[in-house]
Amino acid sequence: MTELPDTAFPLSSAHLSDRVSALIEEEIRAAIWAPGARLPTERAFAERFGVSRAVVREAISRLKADGWVRSRQGVGAFVVEQVGGANFRLEPAMKDARNLRDLFDLRSVIEPGAAALAARRRSPGDVAALRRALQDMDVALSSGDSEYGAASDDRFHDGIAAATHSPHLQRLMSVVQRSLSGTRLPTWLNRAPLDLAAAAQAEHHRLFAAIEAGDSLAAQHAAHDHLVAAAGRLNLQLDSRDE
């Protein structure tokens, strides 16, 4: 059975749950846990991977959402009879360089349009939620709290999806966001002399300003430029937008 591998940088509980769910999924794919089989308890998984039961609980929830696992009240979690189901899913972004590039290609198609839609449809509540996430990132940038910065970064992008008020788009972007787990923390860990977090935060401010102003074209451009820069911070090159 696979074990939780070492990582080059610290992981938040959300990132750990992604890693744990990915490892359990690999074992289901490899038929280590057969269709219909009962999975080990939260406690057993927690001891095996060296994480908290809350992390395991979140990992199991993700597997349920992706169609790999079902729960029976008071009994436990079981592998579904037809594993994988018909749910759309993506491999974790950090699995390998090819997968990371493919995910950024997908983001470059989806997210600028989502930002434009958010600018047209955002409510006062949406703007307030985005502002809170943006302010939390400002605090993290000042304090050097990288994990808080990455978590707030996730909330900011989730908030843009919510502001579209498009259920299908929100679900698709939720799948993308889960696959992105772990890609933002390296930026927030990078400080002087190349303060990548400060550069990313400047891009967030520009994107927020466009959405708040209801300027869909500016939001679309800001989202695309942010993706190009974010890819560059991960040593990828995306096509720049046409002026």
Side-chain angles (χ1 to χ4, degrees):
M1 294 184 184
T2 50
E3 301 298 329
L4 193 64
D6 292 335
T7 180
F9 48 83
L11 295 172
S12 68
S13 60
H15 298 137
L16 280 171
S17 64
D18 283 336
R19 297 283 292 277
V20 170
S21 65
L23 290 173
I24 297 173
E25 180 187 321
E26 286 179 8
E27 294 183 350
I28 294 173
R29 286 175 177 270
I32 293 174
W33 308 111
R38 180 181 176 182
L39 292 176
T41 63
E42 289 179 1
R43 180 177 180 179
F45 273 136
E47 291 177 352
R48 174 184 162 195
F49 292 122
V51 298
S52 69
R53 291 179 64 177
V55 167
V56 174
R57 193 173 304 119
E58 176 63 21
I60 296 298
S61 294
R62 289 169 188 262
L63 290 167
K64 288 167 58 179
D66 285 342
W68 294 99
V69 170
R70 61 181 174 83
S71 293
R72 289 172 55 186
Q73 186 68 31
V75 180
F78 294 78
V79 179
V80 297
E81 296 297 334
Q82 291 185 315
V83 294
N87 291 311
F88 177 72
R89 61 177 305 281
L90 296 168
E91 297 290 345
M94 301 302 276
K95 178 182 178 182
D96 54 48
R98 173 64 182 274
N99 195 63
L100 182 62
R101 172 63 197 230
D102 286 347
L103 185 60
F104 266 87
D105 284 342
L106 178 61
R107 292 184 69 192
S108 70
V109 172
I110 296 171
E111 293 189 26
L117 192 60
R120 291 195 295 270
R121 294 183 175 177
R122 82 279 184 269
S123 68
D126 295 326
V127 172
L130 287 170
R131 182 181 290 109
R132 284 193 297 272
L134 192 70
Q135 291 171 341
D136 288 344
M137 285 188 283
D138 284 334
V139 170
L141 193 61
S142 298
S143 66
D145 189 338
S146 301
E147 286 197 15
Y148 188 57
S152 301
D153 199 338
D154 287 342
R155 285 195 292 111
F156 181 76
H157 287 275
D158 287 341
I160 293 174
T164 67
H165 295 276
S166 169
H168 289 326
L169 187 54
Q170 288 179 59
R171 284 195 291 272
L172 176 57
M173 292 183 71
S174 175
V175 173
V176 173
Q177 289 299 318
R178 286 203 302 273
S179 297
L180 282 171
S181 181
T183 64
R184 293 188 173 114
L185 187 57
T187 291
W188 283 92
L189 285 168
N190 185 288
R191 312 301 296 181
L194 297 176
D195 198 337
L196 301 185
Q201 185 63 347
E203 296 155 18
H204 292 141
H205 274 277
R206 179 184 168 212
L207 179 52
F208 170 76
I211 292 174
E212 182 182 33
D215 189 333
S216 60
L217 183 60
Q220 180 178 344
H221 288 175
H224 186 274
D225 292 347
H226 175 50
L227 283 172
V228 170
R233 288 187 281 271
L234 294 171
N235 298 316
L236 296 175
Q237 184 174 357
L238 292 183
D239 295 332
S240 298
R241 61 180 172 84
D242 295 330
E243 295 295 339

